[in-house]
């Protein structure tokens, strides 16, 4: 586990400079697109993940990582574990952002908070699709995947309200079926973790067998 | 004498290249040189030992452990040096060191500092600003800073100037003062191995040509230089490789005693260098100049 921590630390050393690029992004969002919560919550963590994966996906860097006294399993695990700090980064930055906007007189409705929560939860799911593709396609193919994912997040941001409505409908239907709130949330949580778990095992299978 | 690396019938197949049933070993306490022309399979072999690529067949043992290519305890004992820059270009030397150091149980900060000073590697310098030779020095400094029992070096001298090349060979000699240490050193520059290697593994086109102690090579190989009239259909078949010029021929035999018996009085018989052994073996018969 401690090796995974060092690998995540490595990722943060590598993306440190990239964090500075997010400052103008947040300034732009604050002035132009305050209503696009998902762009605030999902895009920066996704950009951090893509940045760290892009740096690691070059063959020579993969050779460095594989030459270290770390199992390939741990290399993959650290990428999934890093989703926690990335999501946290998204959450903290959005909280700070809204703190500033609230102080300056804006009111955030409860629906907005719901949207923020959903978009934050979407990031690990997006990452669960992104990571196996990244391991599978390597450095060259990943460039296309990166662009597709950025576009996907931007398009998603426009339809977050629709997604919230859809989720509300799904929740009502599911609650009707399960007739128990706790069971419903438990089921949803397990499904969520299950999807991420499946993604991890697919990535692991790809990378463990891969020649670098 | 213990084998720190043992490959048994290792195979790897690509579209245009195949390594077939390769069996070699690296002995503890010695420098084993891995030679062969470009594309012979030296890097493939090293990458298989390092667990970077997976063999399609056969078995690789490291420090007596089978299938230990993904075992951290085994890799902890290996220092890897490559002519390919495998560091993050955007980082400084110090940042790169800080990333690598925590993974090794025997990382010695003092030793690392000593090597960085010796190699004149400024900690604040960005890796992308280092020359190829300096990047190899950095790779070497990292490999020597964690008390590795086995150094695996893939073409480490390829980007180095002659002065540092000689210093590097001295360093390897010093490293081997501790008899528990071993080195696998791949190169196509055989002059380096003439100076330091104890054993030579020669591979060509994915196959093992020989694995011998360096001392035994002069007893086995003979370079014959003579007039073309000495070559007929029968004698040509005795040679591993022949180079013909308008003035005569040079040929390599792998049976010194027989060669001296036949050519001792009628041609010049010499002990070939490693380079000559490699050249004639790769070229085979009938090279006309």
């Amino acid at each position: 586990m401690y090796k995974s921590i060092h690998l995540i630390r490595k990722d943060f050393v590598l993306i440190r400079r990239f964090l500075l690029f997010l400052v103008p992004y947040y300034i732009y969002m604050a002035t132009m697109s305050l209503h696009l919560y998902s762009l605030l919550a999902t895009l920066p963590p996704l950009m951090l993940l893509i940045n760290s994966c892009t740096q690691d996906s070059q063959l020579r860097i993969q050779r460095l990582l594989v030459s270290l006294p770390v199992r390939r399993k741990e290399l993959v695990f650290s990428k999934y574990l890093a989703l926690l700090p990335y999501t946290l980064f998204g959450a903290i930055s959005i909280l700070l952002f809204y703190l500033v906007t609230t102080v300056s007189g804006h009111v955030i409705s409860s629906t907005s908070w719901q949207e923020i929560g959903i978009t934050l939860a979407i990031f690990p799911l997006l990452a669960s699709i992104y990571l196996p593709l990244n391991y599978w396609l390597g450095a060259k193919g990943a460039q296309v995947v990166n662009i597709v994912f950025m576009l996907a997040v931007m398009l998603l941001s426009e339809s977050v309200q629709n997604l919230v409505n859809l989720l509300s409908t799904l929740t009502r239907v599911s609650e009707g079926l399960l007739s128990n709130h706790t069971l419903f949330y438990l089921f949803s949580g397990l499904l969520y973790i299950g999807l991420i778990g499946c993604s991890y095992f697919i990535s692991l299978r790809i990378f463990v067998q891969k020649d670098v | 004498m213990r084998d720190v690396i043992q490959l048994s019938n290792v195979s790897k197949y690509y579209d245009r290249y195949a390594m077939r049933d390769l069996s070699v070993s690296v002995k503890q306490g010695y420098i084993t040189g891995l030679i062969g022309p470009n594309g012979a399979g030296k890097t493939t072999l090293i990458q298989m030992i390092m667990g970077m690529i997976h063999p399609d067949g056969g078995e690789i043992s490291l420090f007596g452990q089978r299938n230990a290519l993904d075992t951290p305890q085994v890799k902890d004992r290996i220092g890897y040096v490559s002519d390919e820059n495998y560091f993050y270009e955007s980082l400084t030397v110090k940042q790169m060191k800080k990333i690598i150091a925590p993974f090794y149980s025997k990382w010695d900060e003092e030793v690392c500092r000593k090597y960085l000073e010796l190699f004149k590697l400024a900690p604040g310098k960005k890796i992308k600003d280092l020359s190829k030779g300096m990047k190899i020095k950095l790779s070497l400094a990292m490999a020597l800073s964690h008390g590795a029992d086995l150094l695996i070096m893939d073409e480490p001298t390829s980007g180095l100037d002659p002065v540092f090349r000689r210093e590097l060979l001295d360093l390897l000699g010093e490293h081997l003062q501790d008899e528990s240490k071993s080195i696998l050193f791949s190169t196509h520059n055989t002059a380096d191995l003439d100076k330091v290697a104890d054993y030579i593994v020669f591979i060509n086109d994915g196959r093992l040509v020989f694995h011998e102690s360096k001392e035994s090579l002069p007893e086995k190989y003979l370079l014959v230089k003579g007039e073309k009239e000495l070559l007929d259909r029968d004698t040509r078949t005795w040679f591993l490789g022949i180079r013909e010029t308008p003035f005569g021929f040079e040929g390599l035999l792998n049976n010194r005693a027989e060669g001296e018996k036949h050519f001792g009085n009628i041609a010049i018989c010499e002990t070939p260098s490693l380079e000559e052994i490699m050249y004639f073996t790769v070229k085979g018969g009938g090279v006309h100049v």
Side-chain angles (χ1 to χ4, degrees), chain B residues 5-20:
Chain B
I5 302 175
Q6 195 167 30
L7 283 84
S8 309
N9 302 314
V10 169
S11 304
K12 182 75 188 172
Y13 302 100
Y14 292 106
D15 290 341
R16 293 181 180 180
Y17 169 81
M19 181 175 280
R20 290 186 183 86

Side-chain angles (χ1 to χ4, degrees), chain B:
Chain B
M1 208 164 20
R2 200 174 146 222
D3 289 335
V4 285
I5 302 175
Q6 195 167 30
L7 283 84
S8 309
N9 302 314
V10 169
S11 304
K12 182 75 188 172
Y13 302 100
Y14 292 106
D15 290 341
R16 293 181 180 180
Y17 169 81
M19 181 175 280
R20 290 186 183 86
D21 296 329
L22 198 76
S23 297
V24 288
S25 59
V26 172
K27 300 204 180 300
Q28 186 176 39
Y30 293 96
I31 297 180
T32 299
L34 179 60
I35 60 168
N38 290 331
K42 302 186 295 292
T43 298
T44 303
L45 187 70
I46 284 180
Q47 288 179 346
M48 279 198 282
I49 294 168
M50 289 302 299
M52 294 167 183
I53 57 177
H54 301 85
D56 293 324
E59 194 175 80
I60 300 174
S61 299
L62 296 171
F63 302 105
Q65 287 188 51
R66 289 179 187 175
N67 302 320
L69 306 180
D70 197 29
T71 310
Q73 291 83 353
V74 166
K75 284 189 187 167
D76 197 27
R77 299 173 67 186
I78 299 176
Y80 174 64
V81 180
S82 169
D83 72 325
E84 175 189 58
N85 168 42
Y86 56 87
F87 296 123
Y88 293 99
E89 295 265 335
S90 60
L91 300 184
T92 62
V93 169
K94 189 179 174 184
Q95 285 172 326
M96 196 66 236
K97 184 201 74 178
K98 278 188 172 177
I99 282 179
I100 291 178
F103 292 101
Y104 290 96
S105 62
K106 291 183 191 167
W107 184 269
D108 191 326
E109 198 55 43
E110 190 52 37
V111 171
C112 182
R113 196 187 52 77
K114 187 191 91 180
Y115 281 117
L116 291 182
E117 272 179 25
L118 182 70
F119 299 158
K120 296 183 173 63
L121 285 160
K125 189 137 183 169
K126 285 242 164 109
I127 290 169
K128 67 179 173 196
D129 295 330
L130 298 176
S131 65
K132 189 184 176 191
M134 293 302 272
K135 284 172 186 166
I136 293 177
K137 286 181 185 181
L138 176 61
S139 183
L140 189 65
M142 298 293 120
L144 291 170
S145 298
H146 60 90
D149 292 325
L150 170 63
L151 275 183
I152 297 181
M153 311 171 90
D154 189 7
E155 306 271 4
T157 54
S158 63
L160 300 177
D161 62 77
V163 178
F164 186 72
R165 255 161 91 153
R166 196 161 273 249
E167 284 173 11
L168 168 68
L169 300 179
D170 292 341
L171 263 175
L172 298 184
E174 273 176 39
H175 184 71
L176 239 61
Q177 293 295 312
D178 178 348
E179 289 179 359
S180 66
K181 311 280 187 195
S182 319
I183 297 171
L184 174 64
F185 185 135
S186 115
T187 182
H188 53 248
N189 189 338
T190 52
D192 297 334
L193 296 180
D194 271 327
K195 294 187 186 87
V196 294
D198 301 298
Y199 289 90
I200 304 291
V201 173
F202 178 14
I203 59 171
N204 185 30
D205 201 19
R207 292 170 194 275
L208 180 70
V209 178
F210 64 71
H211 178 195
E212 308 266 0
S213 75
K214 199 179 71 185
E215 272 70 42
S216 72
L217 292 176
E219 294 163 16
K220 192 174 174 185
Y221 288 91
L222 183 71
L223 184 68
V224 179
K225 293 176 181 176
E227 293 176 358
K228 275 179 155 181
E229 288 72 34
L230 296 173
L231 294 174
D232 58 31
R233 188 178 289 176
D234 289 336
T235 53
R236 277 179 187 277
T237 61
W238 301 347
F239 290 95
L240 288 177
I242 301 174
R243 176 174 175 267
E244 292 181 61
T245 66
F247 313 104
F249 82 96
E250 287 180 320
L252 182 76
L253 292 164
N254 64 353
N255 188 334
R256 188 176 185 110
E258 282 290 308
E260 282 178 335
K261 202 168 94 183
H262 284 95
F263 296 103
N265 297 323
I266 53 176
I268 299 167
C269 294
E270 293 175 353
T271 298
S273 65
L274 265 177
E275 187 176 313
E276 285 163 334
I277 293 173
M278 192 166 97
Y279 172 77
F280 284 104
T281 310
V282 172
K283 287 295 176 190
V287 180
H288 296 270
V289 180

